[in-house]
Structure formats: structure tokens, C-alpha cells
Amino acid sequence: MDLRRAMDDAADRAVGDRPVPGTGPLVERVLRRRAVRTGTTLTSGAAATVLVAVAAVALADAPPGWVAADDLGGWTANRLEIDGELECGVVVPGLGDGEVVDDDGAGADALRLEAEFRAVEYDGTDLVDAGPDLVRGQLLALDASVVNDTGVDLVAADRYGTSPTAWLAQGGVVVGQVEGPVVALGGVYLPSPGAPEPVLALPAGSARNLDHQGYVADCDRSGAPPPAGEYELLVTVRLEDVRAEDSDAEPHDLTLVTGPFALTVLDAPEEWLSPYELSGYPPGLEDVEIAPSGVVLHGGWRGPRVLLPIGHPIAELGVPTAVVVWDGEYCAGTSEPGRWVPNYNTEVRSDTPYLWPTVQDGRVTRIDGALLWTTAPIYVGRGQGTLRDAQEAVPSLALTLPADDAGIEVWTTYDAEHGTTVAIEIDTTQSIARGGAIVNVAVVEGDGYDGPVPVGPAVCDGDGDPAP
Amino acid sequence: MRRRGEERARALHAQIDELLTLRGAALRRYAFLLCGDVHEAEDLVQDAVVRVFSRARDGQGPQVLEPYVRRAIVNGSVDRWRRAGRWREREHLLVAPDRVDGPERASADRLDVLAALAGLPARQRACVVLRFYEDLTVPEISERLGIGKGSVKRYLSMGVRALQDRLGSVSGADAHVELIEEGAS
């Protein structure tokens, strides 16, 4: 047999003249994806170009004095000098009192961070420059460089990729943070056997450019931007295991810092649309999560929004950006055609996220979903992770249905605030060491859980949703 | 701002349309050999297009974009294979996906090679398809899959052996196995 010819023939016969799917839905998906709320590494060419073009006019003065230019064994670094990590609530010395600890120029020949920033916004397809002031809901784009003027060739570990972040402070206290880049696998570095560890090379005289864009979130953990007002902005980058390239000296973990810059946060105009409203489509499934209140869109655009509330009259959701819509043709040919279906691809597959509503008496009474993830580490409600992850996040989870013949068991917890039960279906045959893998998450109206329900095309064989 | 967004959306539509019109069938054939199912192949192509165009690709034509899409397809096929295991227990609640096999009988070779490919793990399958269908070299496969050349040789060797166990001698593959074994020694 001629392997190439047999494969060619097999592919030709299988694909044949099948019609090419429409481009429109693909464009929709691309636009949704471009509207993702976290700026992990949004290296939009347009945005990057804008940043370079306007950088010179964006900056406040950047007195370096309140950072320490420590001698680290033949070289120095402008690093943040506080006890512990920079985080919400930390008091940063030298901030808030309008004074500079030391502005004699120390650190000019150190390993240091230089940074510029701009507000950028999503215009429906791309990120565009929006000026030096940050309107609530815009992204903050950081253009930072690690500059090595020590005269020593340095290297740092680069296990997760190195990215700058920024902090907002008022009165010397950190009150907000630019959402950080997502670290894959929950921050667990898995080296490949025999492969060299990733290294960030910082040769003497070099300036290593690092970009990051993200929403600014208030430290109240609501996910909303900080209130309008005047803030001081610090830009930092965390470097691990920094050492001279050709030495056996002890490596250092450093937080390089620059700033403070003056940043004005403004309220968003009432008429502003969210990114997905602007695009005319519902948000991508990768950006929503199932929460006790229903389907929630988290993120910086005015904070979290419940897009599909449990118990809500569903007929009021009939707008183009709703996450579920009425499809009169769904289940056509059955005794009860028409269903409320996701405003996404309704084909439920094993390897793509899905979201499926159950509607009774014109109200959403249950939402099932799986694999709603990618924008956050393992998190209960996103249908990803293991039983142990779920228990750590929600200690009140209790075993409600023991494993059935297929090895599926169900853990639930009642959320009194919203009057809903969150049910997590666990496949006990997977991820056994961690108690089984989450395969479905459901939020159900009331206190109780009856069991799995049909989703996708299978609803046509089950009890039909009532017509609107 | 909205008008500019609409113009960009139209340009994006035209760009994707051109790519799929000119290269869509080839991309689906490629994806089909990697996954063995036409519906899944279409999904793989669409997912790859979405992934590639999630970054601005202004002005880039099909010739530039196709390699990116192919790379995304092969990565997507390996990822799907990896994730498929977690799904099986929920399938009883769903409608089984329909398959393509039509009433007409295809050639024995075609069915055999599909069955043999289906028996290979994802990475082996990807290496075999890239080598014998795409005519890529070992370094090119290594680059596209993001794995070492030694791993590519090992996967190819194992994949070809598995194919030959099912299909008997396949022309073209014997020489490659010998070449791989020489290179590995």
C-alpha cells in the first residue's frame, strides 16, 4: 500500500464536497475572543504601535529614590524595599506623603525598571489608545523595560514568562492592582526532562522590553475598577533567581519597581457599552462562569455582571447579547418544538465549553455547564479541576449522591444568599489522587438537587421546556 | 469608534473568507487525517482559525496565514485527544455524534489506513500525518509540534511500526523507518 496515496484518498473521500461552513460565525467567535477581559499577553499590533507612538507624552516624573539600590554582590538593583510581597493593603514607604526618600539619582547604574503606561480600550475588534487617564472599564497597557546598566551580564529564571504589573495606591496604601497574567497549570512549573530551564537573559547594557495589559481591579475583590479619583501608580516586575551569568554567587529574588506615576481614574459615561455589547454578541464562554447567582461575567468592565440570573423571567433576556435565546426550530418534529438554547453553538461536545439552561414556568431554574474556563486558575464554578480543588474553595460541599455505575458522584452546597444549590458532578475514575475530576457544574434553584439532566440535543427526548 | 469597529469586522470577514475559500478544503483534509472524524475536523479548523485571528492579522494573505492555522490545527488535535478522556462518563446524557460513513463502500486501503491511524496516540498520529501527508522533514515536524527531533523520530518509528503491524508493508514508510533508526543510533 502507498501510505501517502491512501491517506490522500481517505481525506479526499471523507471531506469531499462538504459545504464550507459560513464565515460569519467564525468572525463572531474571533471578535468574542478578542474581547477577552484579561490582558494576559494582548500583543495586538495596533495597540503596541500606539503605545510606542505616544509613550513620550504619557509619563509623570518617576523619582527612583524610594526604592533601594542594594549591592547584591558586585551589582545593584532598584528594588522595592518592603517586608514581604507587594499586595493589597500594604503600606509602601515613601508614598502618600509627597516626599521622596532619596532622589540623589542613586541606582542609575543598577538593574532597574523603566515603564510607560497608557489607557487602551476595545473598539469592537481591537485595542486602541485612549489617553493617559484611565476611564473605569478601560485596560491599562504597560510598556516596561528591564534595563541592565550594572556592567555585569545577568540572567534570571523565566519559568512562567516574565511580565510587569502595576499597583494603585492612595495615601501610601495599595488599593488596586492591574490583573496579572494567567499562569498555566495553577502556577506549577513542570520542567521537561533534559530540557534547560527557561532563562531571561539580561546582558550588560541591554533593555529587555516587557508588555502587559490588564484591567485595574479594586482591592475589595469585587472585580470592579477602583472608584474615580487620583492615584499613585507603581509598576513592578518580579524577577527570580537573578545572578551574574558567569558566577556561582547566590541568586536573588527581586521585585524591581518604578514610579510613582500620577494616574487619574475617571467614571465611565453611562452610555458606554461593554465589549461584548459593542461587538453585538454575547461574551465568549471562556469569559463567563457559573456562580450561585447564575451565569456571571467577571472582569473590569464595571465589575461582575449576572448575565443569566437564576429565577429571572427569561423572556426579558431576548436581546442579541443574551447568553440564551429562544429557538423555535429546536426540537422541530417532536411533539413540543422550540427550546431556550445557548446563544452559542448548540452542539454539545466533549471537548468544548457548554452552557445549558433549564426553563420552567418562564423562569431559569437550572443552568448546567462544563469546561467554562481558561481565564482563571482552577476555580469552582468553571467546571475545571478536581474534587479537592472544589472542597478547598467551598468547604461546605457535601456528598449528596454517591458514585453511580459510571463512577459519577455529586457534591452540593446550598447558597442561602441566592437561594440556590451548586452541584458539582465528579468523575471518580479520573484524577483519582485528587478525589476525581469535575465534569459538570450545575446551579439549581432552591435547596436540593435531583440529579443530572439532559443537555444539548438530548433535551428533545426529555421533558420539554414550556414555550414562552 | 463603532464605525471603525465595523470596518475592521468587515475586513476580518473578508480575510477569513478568502483563506477558507482558497484553502478550507485542504485544511479540513489535513485536520481529518489528524482526528479521523469530519465533524471534528471542521471544528478543529474553525477553532484554529479563531485562535489564529484572535491576534490582529491585518493585511496578511492566505499564504502567510495557512501555516499558522495548520500549526493551530495540529496542536488542537493533540489537546483534544488529551482532554477526551474526561468526557466519556457524561456521554449517556447526550446524543451520540453522527458519523460520516456513507452507504457506499470505499476502497479497502482507505478504510484500513483510517482504522490504523485511529489506533495511534495523538502525537504519533500527528507525526505520521505531518511526515507522510504533509511531506515535512523531521526538523520541520519538531518545530511545528514544539517537541525535540529525537522525540519526532521516536514517534515516527513507533507510528510506522504500528501502521505496518496493521497494514503490512507500506511503500515509502520502510525507507523512513530505516532512516530514523540510523539517525537514532
Side-chain angles (χ1 to χ4, degrees):
Chain A
M1 176 195 299
D2 183 316
L3 188 57
R4 163 72 199 241
R5 180 171 296 177
M7 284 201 283
D8 226 1
D9 183 41
D12 267 346
R13 295 292 291 269
V15 174
D17 297 325
R18 290 175 63 82
V20 177
T23 303
L26 276 179
V27 174
E28 289 179 23
R29 289 179 60 196
V30 170
L31 294 179
R32 280 184 191 140
R33 195 173 165 107
R34 286 187 183 181
V36 293
R37 61 184 182 83
T38 51
T40 308
T41 49
L42 298 180
T43 52
S44 156
T49 304
V50 167
L51 275 176
V52 171
V54 301
V57 298
L59 301 181
D61 292 335
W66 56 274
V67 297
D70 286 352
D71 188 331
L72 296 168
W75 53 280
T76 60
N78 284 7
R79 68 183 179 90
L80 187 61
E81 191 175 47
I82 60 171
D83 292 330
E85 295 293 317
L86 194 59
E87 59 187 7
C88 282
V90 164
V91 177
V92 182
L95 280 186
D97 55 11
E99 295 182 5
V100 173
V101 176
D102 179 355
D103 61 355
D104 63 359
D109 56 355
L111 180 67
R112 67 179 193 275
L113 185 65
E114 294 182 353
E116 300 164 347
F117 66 89
R118 296 288 287 182
V120 294
E121 64 188 10
Y122 180 70
D123 73 348
T125 54
D126 274 318
L127 294 171
V128 294
D129 174 49
D133 295 337
L134 181 75
V135 180
R136 300 181 80 221
Q138 289 176 335
L139 287 150
L140 193 68
L142 304 173
D143 183 6
S145 295
V146 176
V147 180
N148 181 3
D149 279 338
T150 64
V152 178
D153 292 336
L154 301 173
V155 292
D158 195 26
R159 301 182 183 102
Y160 312 114
T162 303
S163 180
T165 190
W167 309 79
L168 269 64
Q170 272 184 332
V173 179
V174 174
V175 294
Q177 180 189 6
V178 172
E179 290 181 345
V182 175
V183 176
L185 299 174
V188 179
Y189 175 65
L190 300 172
S192 302
E197 187 169 288
V199 165
L200 182 72
L202 302 165
S206 68
R208 187 67 178 252
N209 186 254
L210 305 167
D211 292 334
H212 176 60
Q213 298 161 30
Y215 287 106
V216 180
D218 193 280
C219 283
D220 65 5
R221 303 182 70 82
S222 69
E230 301 296 328
Y231 294 87
E232 292 168 298
L233 183 81
L234 314 177
V235 182
T236 63
V237 65
R238 179 76 176 162
L239 298 178
E240 295 183 340
D241 295 343
V242 189
R243 59 180 174 78
E245 186 174 20
D246 55 356
S247 94
D248 296 326
E250 184 73 12
H252 301 276
D253 293 343
L254 306 171
T255 299
L256 298 184
V257 62
T258 188
F261 306 104
L263 175 68
T264 302
V265 175
L266 304 171
D267 272 325
E270 276 303 313
E271 65 272 19
W272 262 29
L273 299 173
S274 65
Y276 72 92
E277 288 168 330
L278 194 59
S279 70
Y281 310 114
L285 278 179
E286 61 269 33
D287 294 325
V288 301
E289 75 172 56
I290 296 179
S293 55
V295 176
V296 175
L297 174 68
H298 275 270
W301 206 273
R302 299 182 193 166
R305 298 179 62 179
V306 184
L307 302 178
L308 183 61
I310 288 284
H312 196 78
I314 195 159
E316 296 178 10
L317 299 172
V319 297
T321 55
V323 293
V324 296
V325 293
W326 175 259
D327 182 351
E329 299 298 314
Y330 209 81
C331 301
T334 69
S335 60
E336 199 171 8
R339 292 290 188 279
W340 285 97
V341 298
N343 197 5
Y344 303 91
N345 188 352
T346 54
E347 182 189 7
V348 177
R349 297 185 60 93
S350 63
D351 46 14
T352 53
Y354 71 81
L355 173 74
W356 204 272
T358 299
V359 178
Q360 291 180 336
D361 301 327
R363 294 162 51 252
V364 185
T365 57
R366 173 173 173 148
I367 301 163
D368 281 76
L371 292 175
L372 303 182
W373 60 292
T374 70
T375 56
I378 289 168
Y379 183 81
V380 170
R382 289 191 185 277
Q384 186 192 27
T386 65
L387 174 61
R388 196 173 303 170
D389 301 321
Q391 289 172 318
E392 287 171 1
V394 188
S396 59
L397 276 176
L399 181 63
T400 302
L401 295 178
D404 58 16
D405 293 342
I408 302 290
E409 63 185 23
V410 181
W411 293 68
T412 65
T413 184
Y414 178 65
D415 185 274
E417 180 184 352
H418 300 97
T420 55
T421 299
V422 176
I424 298 176
E425 294 176 26
I426 301 290
D427 180 354
T428 57
T429 67
Q430 299 181 51
S431 297
I432 294 169
R434 291 186 60 78
I438 299 171
V439 290
N440 187 69
V441 176
V443 55
V444 185
E445 188 177 46
D447 187 0
Y449 174 78
D450 294 333
V453 298
V455 296
V459 298
C460 297
D461 302 325
D463 298 331
D465 301 342
Chain B
M1 194 164 70
R2 175 180 278 279
R3 175 171 294 178
R4 185 167 49 186
E6 289 170 354
E7 287 171 1
R8 285 188 173 149
R10 274 198 294 275
L12 176 67
H13 191 288
Q15 205 177 12
I16 294 177
D17 207 38
E18 182 184 19
L19 173 70
L20 293 183
T21 301
L22 295 176
R23 302 301 301 159
L27 291 171
R28 282 186 293 158
R29 283 196 294 270
Y30 173 60
F32 170 75
L33 286 174
L34 289 167
C35 70
D37 179 280
V38 284
H39 296 300
E40 194 174 340
E42 283 173 2
D43 285 352
L44 275 173
V45 172
Q46 292 184 31
D47 288 351
V49 168
V50 169
R51 199 165 298 150
V52 167
F53 280 92
S54 294
R55 291 187 174 188
R57 302 284 180 186
D58 297 347
Q60 294 179 344
Q63 299 93 331
V64 175
L65 293 165
E66 185 176 349
Y68 289 103
V69 177
R70 285 183 179 256
R71 183 192 300 268
I73 287 172
V74 73
N75 288 338
S77 73
V78 174
D79 284 348
R80 279 177 180 235
W81 185 84
R82 200 181 289 140
R83 289 199 304 244
R86 61 188 308 174
W87 181 251
R88 64 184 187 281
E89 303 302 352
R90 198 168 168 77
E91 282 185 321
H92 64 288
L93 294 171
L94 307 171
V95 171
D98 51 330
R99 296 280 168 173
V100 214
D101 295 342
E104 80 284 0
R105 295 300 303 167
S107 73
D109 278 2
R110 175 162 60 85
L111 294 179
D112 286 348
V113 80
L114 286 179
L117 280 174
L120 299 182
R123 283 202 191 280
Q124 282 183 36
R125 182 180 182 130
C127 286
V128 167
V129 171
L130 292 174
R131 178 70 193 96
F132 298 105
Y133 183 70
E134 291 285 283
D135 283 335
L136 297 188
T137 63
V138 168
E140 287 169 336
I141 297 170
S142 163
E143 200 269 335
R144 184 169 292 187
L145 292 178
I147 59 179
K149 297 187 189 75
S151 298
V152 173
K153 290 175 181 175
R154 191 170 68 253
Y155 286 135
L156 272 175
S157 178
M158 294 162 66
V160 168
R161 280 186 193 284
L163 288 181
Q164 288 180 326
D165 284 347
R166 292 195 63 147
L167 303 173
S169 176
V170 289
S171 63
D174 293 331
H176 288 293
V177 174
E178 288 163 12
L179 182 68
I180 290 162
E181 288 180 341
E182 283 173 15
S185 61

